[in-house]
Amino acid sequence: MADPYGPSEVSKEEIDLKLKAFDDVPLFMKSLPEDESENATIAALQDLLYEGTPDEIAANFKDQGNDYFKGKRYREASGFYTQGIDVKPTDTKLLTALLCNRAACNLELQNYGSVLRDCSTVLKQDDKVSKAYYRSAQALLSLDRVEEALDCCDRCLAFDPDNQGINTVRERAVKRKESREKQERERQERLRKEREEKLAMQAAFRERNLIDIPKPDGSSNPYQPRFDFEDPSHKILVLPVFFLYPQHAISDVIQEFYEDTTFEAHLEQMFPPKGAAPPWDSRGEYVFKNLVVYAMTHRKRLFKVGKKMTLQDVFTVAKGKEGQPRDGLEVKDGCITFVVIPKGDEEKKWVEEFKKSRDE
């Protein structure tokens, strides 16, 4: 039996029905009806908003906008300020406040163009409104228009030197400007060094009879020629070198071949006499003492490279003869290529094929 003294039990359907009835009460409406004129209460409330002089109506919209702004509902606040502006108040201070407040909303909404337009309207009427300069400077700084932001601050400080907000924005703008100038100086210095490095590398190539063959679509090689960092004279070249093994159609790359290093130093380490053969060398032919190295010049000259030769020695041998067109080793996409092959039949076969293809 139900308790006669407590609240009577109500079904869920009855609760939903009672809550739905609130939708017709303006205070609790979730959205306005399509035809607002059909609801007398809403029409009356809206009429109240527009009762009074333009200044009174605008002031009312301003107060409502302020309430929404305090609640961080910037879009709704902006809407109320706009309605206040639209009634065209005659009080210039009130209009200025509405425009500056709407600019504050748009700052929060990151609508920086709207901020600048409203502040410009204010300053055309009165060029001594600190808030308009403050909002403008904030928007300009957000747009990274640092020089304009500084100009804005300086114009304001000319008549309002103790304005803390403006001074704070100006400090930020000065730091941003200094940071940008520092970055630009660093960029220019980096470009200068790159130009100098490029010119020095071009001179080093000419001195060594190296012929640069860059890729038409840009380099894909992560390793590029450079000067030895530890060489105080900044003259020793370090180059990437390819060792091609033609009978296996495979290669190795020596990322940093110092030009004063011998071929022996690399080959003996890569193919030691008693070391395990590479997985692709099933016959065990690639052993240091059993290998020969060949270099090919730009004009298709072929010559054997002694294992005790350095790259510098090879550069000298590759130089073209006096009175003949320029010749030397090619640096393709930053790398020099040499053929490494076992002595004997494989060597003879490859040399014959090279000469045949060269003479065709």
Side-chain angles (χ1 to χ4, degrees), residues 38-146:
E38 292 180 1
N39 191 307
T41 306
I42 292 175
L45 288 171
Q46 288 192 323
D47 287 342
L48 283 173
L49 289 174
Y50 288 93
E51 280 191 357
T53 65
D55 288 351
E56 291 171 338
I57 297 168
N60 181 41
F61 281 126
K62 174 177 169 289
D63 291 339
Q64 292 181 75
N66 290 348
D67 289 338
Y68 275 94
F69 189 89
K70 290 173 186 175
K72 298 186 178 181
R73 295 174 63 177
Y74 304 116
R75 201 170 299 281
E76 292 92 333
S78 177
F80 280 113
Y81 295 138
T82 298
Q83 290 182 79
I85 293 165
D86 288 345
V87 298
K88 296 179 171 52
T90 58
D91 185 340
T92 55
K93 289 186 178 179
L94 176 58
L95 180 59
T96 292
L98 286 164
L99 287 164
C100 285
N101 289 0
R102 186 168 71 176
C105 292
N106 281 314
L107 262 178
E108 298 293 341
L109 297 170
Q110 298 182 5
N111 298 327
Y112 302 121
S114 297
V115 175
L116 295 174
R117 282 191 291 273
D118 279 347
C119 291
S120 176
T121 301
V122 170
L123 294 171
K124 284 177 182 176
Q125 297 171 351
D126 182 357
D127 63 357
K128 298 290 190 293
V129 180
S130 296
K131 278 189 178 179
Y133 285 112
Y134 177 64
R135 311 266 191 253
S136 294
Q138 287 179 298
L140 289 165
L141 197 55
S142 296
L143 293 168
D144 206 31
R145 291 160 61 177
V146 179

Side-chain angles (χ1 to χ4, degrees), residues 16 18 71 224 230 264 274 296 304 311 328 335 344 360:
D16 290 341
K18 289 180 183 294
Q224 292 293 320
E230 297 180 1
E264 179 180 61
K274 296 182 180 180
M296 298 81 65
K304 192 177 290 189
L311 274 179
C335 286
E360 286 179 351

Side-chain angles (χ1 to χ4, degrees), residues 3 9 69 73 100 213 222-223 268 289 323 357:
D3 184 354
E9 294 185 8
F69 189 89
R73 295 174 63 177
C100 285
I213 311 291
Y223 315 112
E268 192 167 20
K289 291 186 177 180
S357 64

Side-chain angles (χ1 to χ4, degrees), residues 184-196:
E184 179 60 20
R185 286 195 301 271
E186 290 173 348
R187 189 183 74 87
Q188 291 295 338
E189 178 63 16
R190 188 169 60 252
L191 290 173
R192 184 189 66 78
K193 286 183 177 179
E194 288 175 0
R195 285 193 296 269
E196 287 184 355

